[in-house]
Amino acid sequence: MQNSEAMALSAALLAVAGELTQRIHDGVTARGFDGLRPAHGFAFARLAPDGATVTELAAHLGVTKQAASQLVEEIVRKGYAERRPHPEDARARLIVLTERGWACTRAAEEAAAEAVRPWVELLGEREIRSLQHQLLRIAPYGPIKPVW
């Protein structure tokens, strides 16, 4: 692959990721979950289904523990998550989604389905499944990190 082709592919993937992130965020906001940023959604993805410590969340987001602590404080204050004793480590706290956090997560799933629907109409179900398969081969483990 030529350098210019690699740049074109990179630009296309980044554009799609940016647009998808914005459309999901807009869909979440339209469903009544305001006061959130896309970074919160990336945190929710790590907290579901079993919660995470601040340290685990920081690693997932690619930020410092201090930055993750600030984000946790914000989503706890807004009622999307709560701190619980860690079942295996008395020194740690487990951050878990509240019912409001789960409702927001479901809203994000609905918004994602709406955002992807035009792709299915354009490319067809088979091509979308193939695209998903190929992307999972390239990035099988994530994590989903926000672009700060």
Side-chain angles (χ1 to χ4, degrees):
M1 178 173 271
Q2 299 287 329
N3 288 350
S4 60
E5 292 172 322
M7 282 302 296
L9 175 60
S10 299
L13 287 170
L14 290 169
V16 167
E19 180 184 346
L20 182 59
T21 299
Q22 189 61 52
R23 291 192 62 199
I24 293 170
H25 178 71
D26 291 347
V28 167
T29 302
R31 287 168 173 80
F33 298 96
D34 54 359
L36 295 173
R37 297 173 311 200
H40 294 119
F42 293 110
F44 288 11
R46 176 60 185 91
L47 296 177
D50 299 320
T53 64
V54 169
T55 301
E56 292 167 338
L57 187 58
H60 173 77
L61 295 174
V63 299
T64 65
K65 188 175 172 185
Q66 180 181 7
S69 292
Q70 290 173 348
L71 188 139
V72 166
E73 183 59 37
E74 192 175 350
I75 62 175
V76 166
R77 188 176 63 252
K78 292 179 180 190
Y80 291 101
E82 64 186 11
R83 294 178 184 90
R84 293 186 182 164
H86 195 289
E88 299 168 8
D89 184 351
R91 299 170 296 155
R93 303 286 285 170
L94 193 63
I95 314 306
V96 297
L97 295 176
T98 61
E99 183 52 45
R100 180 174 168 82
W102 281 109
C104 184
T105 300
R106 288 188 295 274
E109 290 172 353
E110 292 169 5
E114 284 178 8
V116 171
R117 194 169 294 120
W119 302 354
V120 175
E121 292 169 4
L122 179 67
L123 301 176
E125 190 79 36
R126 184 175 177 187
E127 287 294 321
I128 290 296
R129 290 192 194 285
S130 176
L131 175 62
Q132 179 182 9
H133 174 75
Q134 297 302 331
L135 290 172
L136 288 172
R137 287 181 60 204
I138 294 169
Y141 307 112
I144 303 170
K145 293 184 181 182
V147 177
W148 301 100

